Amino acid sequence: MLHDCTNFHQTQSRESLVTTATVSTRSDSAADAGDVSGPPSDTPTGNDIVELLFFAYRDFVSDPDRLLTEYGFGRAHHRVLHFVERVPGMTIAEMLDILGITKQSLNPILKDLVEKGYIVQRTGTADRRQRLLYPTDKGRALSLALTAPQLQRIARALDGLEPDVKSKVTAFLFSMINDDDRDDVSRIVWKTADGEEQVQ
Amino acid sequence: MLHDCTNFHQTQSRESLVTTATVSTRSDSAADAGDVSGPPSDTPTGNDIVELLFFAYRDFVSDPDRLLTEYGFGRAHHRVLHFVERVPGMTIAEMLDILGITKQSLNPILKDLVEKGYIVQRTGTADRRQRLLYPTDKGRALSLALTAPQLQRIARALDGLEPDVKSKVTAFLFSMINDDDRDDVSRIVWKTADGEEQVQ
DNA sequence: CATTTATGTCAGCCTTATTGACATATTTCA
DNA sequence: TGAAATATGTCAATAAGGCTGACATAAATG
């Protein structure tokens, strides 16, 4: 889930990359291009991961697109619904921090989801200014349906690989997150079933 | 590089997630929310990876934002420039396949990069309908500068982990890509320095 | 010579983002 | 208590980066 960051609506079309001619003309073509650059970069450490992350994420976030289109939603709706399902009772401010967007961007999307009955807002009991977000049964069902193809993709990818890959991938992705956010992310990602963790 | 899929311009602001109250009220708050759903999902296999991919990718693609803003470019410009640098001599059609966008979306971005002197287009020699894309020295320099913080993030993440993590992460990300595209992606990602590979 | 292909371009539209300004309810603090 | 800060909502204007559809041109192909 969680879409590119970006939007994009759904393209879906996408046959095969670079089907046509050559990936690149021979290096002398590049060399004789006058003003043009020298040899391609020597792929320093990590350059392959830069590109694999792009392609993997591109395909990964496109998984729920068909379903989203059916419901008239975009990837932003998926992101919001996903985190509401995962962290029921989340406040608006927490959602804004997680998604990294402004309230003006969140509002129309949230309004959509509330109006169509996927999310309910309840006034906070401790602080009655807050509007706590909860998924409805309908919202929970849609969230799970949207994430299902992504879980399948992950399971299929792990299936062909050594059993320790999952823990190593998890550790790597976790290390890729900004230092400041890592604690909070771990509370969201590995929260216990009864949702007991306090952030502060 | 390669930004979220999506657009988004740069937000840059982002302090810390969920700094305020509790991640969630206790589960009975969710339970007594009436129409609201049951217990949170039991985190089936891969659910953590779904979320870690979101957070890791979110931070990863934001690395070049400051620099992009300085140059008046967006993440889409970065994606285009990156692949032109990596696969000099690429055709327009190949770029469209890789990025998964339409020519109408690509055109203004490409025009920007050409007008500002980061990319040159040269008529193909074998097929003179094609406009082969090459980076200029300036474009190559900018591409490398944009990717530098991302390589640093990857290197730093791998640094604290076991030495086999890199190969396992690479294998995992590769498996996450759509079946149909995997051959072509491997040609792009692991192309030799002299760019000799033929796609067909 | 007719058709297909690669590319370019115009027009209109959508989603998701932004900033700035302002309103309201509630909590907190002096 | 009363002032200030906080959480949220809303309006307006703007922008990036996507989309579809239609059409044009040049070059290759059959």
Side-chain angles (χ1 to χ4, degrees), chain A residues 22-30 39-41, chain B residues 86-88 187-188 190-199:
Chain A
T22 58
V23 165
S24 80
T25 57
R26 284 150 315 95
S27 55
D28 51 61
S29 300
S41 68
Chain B
R86 285 283 289 162
V87 189
R187 271 187 281 264
I188 293 170
W190 294 293
K191 72 199 275 302
T192 61
D194 56 37
E196 209 69 56
E197 302 79 351
Q198 304 294 319
V199 163

Side-chain angles (χ1 to χ4, degrees), chain A residues 4-8 17 22-23 51 58-59 82 86 94 98 153 164 168 176 178 184 198-199, chain B residues 4-8 17-18 22-23 51 58 82 86 94 98 153 164 168 176 178 184 198-199:
Chain A
D4 59 58
C5 314
T6 257
N7 5 13
F8 306 10
L17 303 177
T22 58
V23 165
E51 281 150 18
R58 181 198 64 175
D59 292 344
H82 178 91
R86 285 283 288 162
E94 287 163 357
I98 286 174
R153 181 184 290 270
D164 68 331
K168 304 212 165 176
M176 287 283 285
N178 286 346
D184 292 325
Q198 305 294 318
V199 162
Chain B
D4 55 87
C5 314
T6 232
N7 11 8
F8 306 12
L17 303 178
V18 194
T22 59
V23 165
E51 282 150 17
R58 180 197 65 175
H82 178 92
R86 285 283 289 162
E94 286 162 358
I98 285 174
R153 181 184 291 269
D164 67 331
K168 304 213 165 177
M176 287 282 286
N178 286 346
D184 292 324
Q198 304 294 319
V199 163

Side-chain angles (χ1 to χ4, degrees), chain A residues 101-159:
Chain A
I101 61 176
T102 61
K103 63 182 175 180
Q104 295 94 325
S105 301
L106 176 60
N107 256 343
I109 290 160
L110 192 54
K111 201 182 276 184
D112 264 8
L113 289 165
V114 169
E115 278 171 3
K116 294 183 182 167
Y118 296 92
I119 287 177
V120 290
Q121 304 192 60
R122 317 206 127 235
T123 300
T125 48
D127 184 337
R128 293 187 20 193
R129 288 172 303 181
Q130 296 177 329
R131 297 299 139 86
L132 308 185
L133 304 174
Y134 295 94
T136 62
D137 287 340
K138 195 176 156 191
R140 205 169 117 78
L142 179 55
S143 177
L144 296 179
L146 288 169
T147 308
Q150 297 183 313
L151 292 175
Q152 216 173 331
R153 181 184 290 270
I154 291 169
R156 209 195 33 170
L158 291 174
D159 217 41

